[in-house]
C-alpha cells in the first residue's frame, strides 16, 4: 500500500502526536508499505504557530489535489481537523479511485473543551479572550465535520469512541479503537528494586507539559504538603515546556521555598533518553483531566513506575485501580496527597503496583499495534 500520513504539527520524534505518527510510519515501512508525510513543516516558514494551524486544512487540500494526480495513494491517514476542507470540496475530483480516508485521533478536542470549561466554571483557570474565536468554536466544528465525513475513524480509547458515536453522530461501523504503543527501547527494560528502607529516597515523576489539561493546579498543593513532611521524597517535572517555551521558573515558583531543593525540573528531553531520566523514580503522578491515550503514563509504567492517575479517557482503558495503579478522582488535591502518602508509607503495596504496571506496559508494542491498524486498512480497501 501507498500511505500518506498527515499531521498539523512538526514531525518531532520527541513530541506526543508527532512521535506516534512517526512510529506508525516506521512500522508501516518495515511491513513493506510506502509511506509519505505532510506536516506543518511543509507550510511557509513565515507563518506563526496559530496561523499554520488555521491554514493547515487549506494547504492539505491543495497538496492532496496535486499529489494524487502524481501518485497512486491507497490510504490518506490524517489527524482530526486536517482534511475537512478536502472532504468538502475536492475529494471526488482528484482521481477515478479516491483513496481511503482515515482519521486518527490523538485525543478528542471536544473532551478537552468540556474539561477546560469545567475548570473555568470552578474558577481554577481564566479563559483566554482568544479561546472563543477559534479553539472553542471553529476548531471544534472542524473536528466534528472531519469525524463525520471520514471513511474510518481510529480512536485511542473506548470512552472517546462512544462519545464520537453518541454525541457527534459518527457512523458506528466507521469507528475502531486502537491504542498507541511503546518504542522497542522501552520494552523489557531492567526493573529497579523498590527501596524498602524507611529513610530511602523516593522519587516521584510527572512527565508532560505543565498545563491545566494535565491537572497541575491540583497536584501542586499536594506535592508541597507531601514534600514538606518527607525530606527523603523528591519530585521531578519532566518535559514541562510547551511549544518550545520553557516554564522552568514557573514550576519552581509554584513550589514552597522550603522544599525547592527537593524539586527537579527538566523542561525538555529527547524521547529515547526517558528511561535513563526515570532511573531512581518509583511513582508516576498523572492527574490528567483530558487524555486520548496517555503515552507518558504507559512509558513510565514500562520504566517501572507505579502510576497515580485519574479515570480520564485513555488512562481508564490502560490501568485498573489497585492492580497496576491508584486511580483517583479528577480535580482532587486531597486524593492526590492521600495516594502519594499511601505509596510512600506502604512500600509493599508500591512494589506490587510497580511490578504489575511494568507487566501491563509490555503488551503495548508499536509493531503489534501498527499491524492491527494495517489490517483494518486492508479490510476496508477490500470492501471498497
Amino acid at each position: 500500500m501507498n500511505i500518506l500520513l498527515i499531521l498539523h504539527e512538526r514531525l518531532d520524534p520527541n513530541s506526543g502526536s508527532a512521535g506516534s505518527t512517526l512510529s506508525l510510519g516506521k512500522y508501516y515501512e518495515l511491513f513493506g508499505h510506502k509511506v509519505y508525510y505532510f506536516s506543518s513543516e511543509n507550510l511557509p516558514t513565515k507563518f506563526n504557530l496559530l496561523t499554520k494551524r488555521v491554514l493547515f486544512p487549506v494547504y492539505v487540500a491543495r497538496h492532496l489535489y496535486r499529489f494524487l494526480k502524481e501518485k497512486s495513494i491507497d490510504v490518506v491517514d490524517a489527524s482530526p481537523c486536517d482534511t475537512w476542507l478536502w472532504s468538502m470540496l475536492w475529494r471526488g475530483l482528484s482521481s477515478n479511485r479516491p483513496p481511503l480516508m482515515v482519521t486518527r485521533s490523538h485525543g478528542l478536542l471536544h473532551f478537552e473543551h468540556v474539561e477546560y470549561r469545567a475548570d473555568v466554571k470552578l474558577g481554577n483557570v481564566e479563559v483566554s479572550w482568544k479561546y472563543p474565536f477559534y479553539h472553542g468554536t471553529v476548531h471544534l466544528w472542524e473536528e466534528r465535520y472531519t469525524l463525520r465525513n471520514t471513511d474510518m475513524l481510529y480512536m485511542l480509547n473506548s470512552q472517546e469512541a462512544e462519545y464520537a458515536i453518541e454525541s457527534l453522530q459518527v457512523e458506528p461501523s466507521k469507528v475502531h479503537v486502537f491504542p498507541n504503543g511503546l518504542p522497542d527501547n522501552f520494552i523489557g527494560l531492567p526493573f529497579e528494586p523498590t527501596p524498602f528502607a524507611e529513610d530511602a529516597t523516593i522519587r516521584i515523576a510527572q512527565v508532560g507539559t505543565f498545563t491545566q489539561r494535565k491537572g497541575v493546579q491540583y497536584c501542586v498543593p499536594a506535592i508541597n504538603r507531601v514534600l514538606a513532611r518527607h525530606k527523603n521524597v523528591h519530585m521531578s517535572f519532566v518535559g514541562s515546556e510547551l511549544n518550545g517555551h520553557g516554564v522552568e521558573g514557573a514550576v519552581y515558583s509554584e513550589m514552597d521555598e522550603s522544599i525547592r531543593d527537593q524539586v527537579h525540573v527538566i523542561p525538555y528531553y529527547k524521547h529515547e533518553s526517558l528511561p535513563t531520566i526515570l532511573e531512581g523514580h518509583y511513582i508516576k503522578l498523572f492527574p490528567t483531566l483530558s487524555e486520548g491515550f496517555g503515552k507518558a503514563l504507559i512509558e513510565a509504567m514500562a520504566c517501572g513506575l507505579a502510576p497515580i492517575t485519574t479515570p480520564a479517557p485513555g488512562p481508564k482503558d490502560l490501568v485498573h485501580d489497585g492492580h497496576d495503579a491508584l486511580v483517583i478522582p479528577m480535580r482532587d488535591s486531597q486524593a492526590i496527597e492521600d495516594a502519594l502518602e499511601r505509596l510512600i508509607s506502604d512500600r509493599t503495596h508500591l512494589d506490587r503496583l510497580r511490578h504489575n504496571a511494568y507487566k501491563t506496559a509490555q503488551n503495548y508494542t508499536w509493531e503489534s499495534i501498527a499491524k492491527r491498524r494495517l489490517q483494518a486498512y486492508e479490510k476496508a480497501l477490500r470492501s471498497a
Side-chain angles (χ1 to χ4, degrees):
M1 285 185 290
N2 292 328
I3 303 168
L4 173 62
L5 295 177
I6 298 174
L7 180 68
H8 53 258
E9 299 179 10
R10 289 179 57 248
L11 291 177
D12 180 358
N14 301 304
S15 72
S17 301
S20 297
T21 302
L22 290 169
S23 294
L24 284 170
K26 169 189 171 182
Y27 280 99
Y28 289 170
E29 290 182 327
L30 286 175
F31 289 132
H33 305 285
K34 178 65 178 175
V35 178
Y36 303 90
Y37 297 92
F38 187 82
S39 73
S40 65
E41 294 169 282
N42 296 98
L43 271 60
T45 56
K46 64 182 179 182
F47 295 152
N48 60 29
L49 287 174
L50 180 57
T51 303
K52 285 186 176 183
R53 184 66 200 90
V54 172
L55 293 180
F56 191 72
V58 178
Y59 280 86
V60 166
R62 187 177 74 166
H63 177 73
L64 282 172
Y65 183 72
R66 295 174 176 176
F67 193 66
L68 294 176
K69 284 184 174 182
E70 301 171 0
K71 299 185 182 297
S72 175
I73 299 295
D74 300 292
V75 178
V76 174
D77 187 330
S79 53
C81 311
D82 294 349
T83 56
W84 69 264
L85 185 58
W86 169 254
S87 297
M88 182 182 289
L89 298 179
W90 291 325
R91 181 178 173 184
L93 304 177
S94 60
S95 64
N96 293 328
R97 186 178 66 84
L100 180 72
M101 299 298 293
V102 179
T103 299
R104 68 182 187 288
S105 174
H106 298 282
L108 273 184
L109 295 172
H110 280 75
F111 256 84
E112 184 177 340
H113 174 72
V114 168
E115 298 302 336
Y116 178 71
R117 296 301 303 180
D119 262 358
V120 171
K121 188 174 181 180
L122 290 169
N124 294 325
V125 64
E126 290 186 12
V127 64
S128 167
W129 66 269
K130 301 177 184 177
Y131 188 81
F133 293 101
Y134 178 66
H135 290 288
T137 51
V138 175
H139 207 22
L140 297 175
W141 177 89
E142 290 176 332
E143 181 180 70
R144 184 169 58 251
Y145 186 91
T146 307
L147 268 54
R148 286 179 179 175
N149 291 277
T150 191
D151 295 326
M152 296 179 68
L153 175 59
Y154 286 179
M155 305 298 291
L156 290 172
N157 64 75
S158 57
Q159 282 180 278
E160 291 189 350
E162 291 172 5
Y163 184 90
I165 294 169
E166 295 173 4
S167 299
L168 303 181
Q169 288 81 54
V170 177
E171 176 62 39
S173 62
K174 295 181 179 181
V175 181
H176 303 260
V177 177
F178 295 116
N180 281 328
L182 289 167
D184 295 340
N185 64 312
F186 281 79
I187 300 295
L189 291 168
F191 187 88
E192 190 172 351
T194 302
F196 281 89
E198 191 174 330
D199 60 348
T201 299
I202 295 293
R203 290 186 173 85
I204 306 162
Q206 179 160 324
V207 182
T209 51
F210 195 76
T211 59
Q212 170 266 342
R213 184 171 70 86
K214 299 295 183 180
V216 297
Q217 64 271 43
Y218 303 102
C219 75
V220 165
I223 292 168
N224 277 323
R225 294 191 292 265
V226 170
L227 266 60
R229 287 195 296 269
H230 302 278
K231 291 303 178 183
N232 62 321
V233 175
H234 293 249
M235 182 73 204
S236 298
F237 292 93
V238 183
S240 52
E241 75 171 9
L242 179 64
N243 294 331
H245 302 293
V247 293
E248 186 173 358
V251 176
Y252 281 119
S253 69
E254 295 287 340
M255 300 294 113
D256 291 344
E257 190 172 348
S258 62
I259 57 104
R260 286 180 189 171
D261 61 342
Q262 296 165 252
V263 176
H264 184 44
V265 179
I266 303 175
Y268 180 84
Y269 65 94
K270 290 187 176 180
H271 188 246
E272 67 269 17
S273 68
L274 186 60
T276 301
I277 292 171
L278 292 182
E279 287 179 2
H281 291 77
Y282 307 102
I283 301 171
K284 160 65 176 173
L285 184 56
F286 198 64
T288 185
L289 305 181
S290 174
E291 206 73 36
F293 175 67
K295 279 181 66 178
L297 175 63
I298 200 72
E299 288 170 355
M301 292 165 65
C303 294
L305 278 68
I308 297 172
T309 188
T310 64
K316 189 173 182 179
D317 281 3
L318 284 175
V319 298
H320 296 86
D321 183 38
H323 172 68
D324 49 13
L326 293 183
V327 180
I328 60 173
M330 291 193 289
R331 299 183 177 89
D332 193 332
S333 292
Q334 187 60 54
I336 295 172
E337 182 179 353
D338 293 345
L340 288 171
E341 282 287 354
R342 182 178 179 186
L343 295 186
I344 291 167
S345 60
D346 188 347
R347 305 296 172 83
T348 300
H349 190 47
L350 172 60
D351 187 65
R352 183 167 58 252
L353 287 184
R354 290 185 62 225
H355 274 91
N356 291 339
Y358 177 85
K359 290 177 182 177
T360 296
Q362 307 309 306
N363 298 318
Y364 291 85
T365 66
W366 271 123
E367 181 178 3
S368 63
I369 290 162
K371 187 178 295 184
R372 289 166 55 198
R373 292 186 182 220
L374 285 168
Q375 289 169 348
Y377 287 165
E378 292 165 352
K379 182 177 179 181
L381 286 169
R382 285 195 301 270
S383 299

